[in-house]
Amino acid sequence: MIPRAEQGGTDQERGLAAANAFYEHGVGRAAAEHVSSLRDAGHTAQMKPGFWERIMESLESSPMPEQEWEPLLEILGDEILGKLTGVSDSSMRRYRNGERKTPDEVAGRLHFTALIVADLLGSYNAFGVRRWFGRPRAQLHGSSPLETLEPEWAPEDSGPQAIRELAAALLAPLAS
């Protein structure tokens, strides 16, 4: 969703481009409208304190299956993503290609999976992420994340929440 830049790093203009890209997808509209109104008034766009926190909160609360199928398939592959979302290969293909709208419950599982994968990518490459889902975990009573997620799971269920906490813990600062 975010426009690619020729150079690495971030600056205010690229941050604003990202906010506008999110806005175009219906995410973080209030924050992006604030920036847009400042620009329209001829002021230098200043991001208020909490701007990115509001954008990130909006992103976490906004499934966007049109944007999430392809990257997750690239990382997880058909088999793992099918198990995680509870859909067949043929349904996944239709949803991914826009032939059918992704049902809300599937979009919720897909988005939750995207949040977990985003946390995992802070520590693992794609191969490591796939293996992480299949490895038994003591915190999951010896089950793997794939085994813990029952076919009709919902993001608010205790099993998925425990898996999200495991993935997020990988981003926690190391104790010195």
Side-chain angles (χ1 to χ4, degrees), residues 88-147:
S88 67
D89 287 347
S90 59
S91 290
M92 246 192 310
R93 193 171 29 262
R94 284 187 208 105
Y95 301 148
R96 181 177 75 230
N97 294 333
E99 296 169 26
R100 281 184 27 205
K101 182 183 180 296
T102 304
D104 288 348
E105 63 277 359
V106 174
R109 289 192 290 269
L110 180 72
H111 184 65
F112 193 79
T113 300
L115 296 173
I116 292 169
V117 168
D119 287 343
L120 294 174
L121 287 173
S123 299
Y124 297 111
N125 62 18
F127 179 75
V129 169
R130 288 189 297 276
R131 290 195 53 176
W132 186 90
F133 278 101
R135 261 196 208 115
R137 306 277 167 193
Q139 301 92 327
L140 301 175
H141 311 290
S143 295
S144 72
L146 272 174
E147 293 168 332

Side-chain angles (χ1 to χ4, degrees), residues 112 116 132 139-140 148 155 157-168:
F112 193 79
I116 292 169
W132 186 90
Q139 301 92 327
L140 301 175
T148 301
D157 294 343
S158 62
Q161 288 297 315
I163 292 167
R164 178 91 198 271
E165 288 172 17
L166 280 173

Side-chain angles (χ1 to χ4, degrees), residues 49-122:
F51 176 85
W52 286 111
E53 289 81 3
R54 287 178 66 189
I55 293 282
M56 294 309 292
E57 186 178 306
S58 296
L59 280 170
E60 282 199 23
S61 302
S62 301
M64 290 180 281
E66 305 82 20
Q67 307 298 322
E68 295 169 333
W69 280 114
E70 282 301 322
L72 287 175
L73 278 165
E74 209 172 284
I75 293 166
L76 297 173
D78 291 352
E79 184 180 346
I80 294 173
L81 190 56
K83 287 180 181 177
L84 290 170
T85 57
V87 299
S88 67
D89 287 347
S90 59
S91 290
M92 246 192 310
R93 193 171 29 262
R94 284 187 208 105
Y95 301 148
R96 181 177 75 230
N97 294 333
E99 296 169 26
R100 281 184 27 205
K101 182 183 180 296
T102 304
D104 288 348
E105 63 277 359
V106 174
R109 289 192 290 269
L110 180 72
H111 184 65
F112 193 79
T113 300
L115 296 173
I116 292 169
V117 168
D119 287 343
L120 294 174
L121 287 173

Side-chain angles (χ1 to χ4, degrees), residues 37-57:
S37 68
L38 285 173
R39 277 190 164 168
D40 291 346
H43 296 69
T44 302
Q46 295 289 324
M47 292 182 239
K48 286 185 176 181
F51 176 85
W52 286 111
E53 289 81 3
R54 287 178 66 189
I55 293 282
M56 294 309 292
E57 186 178 306

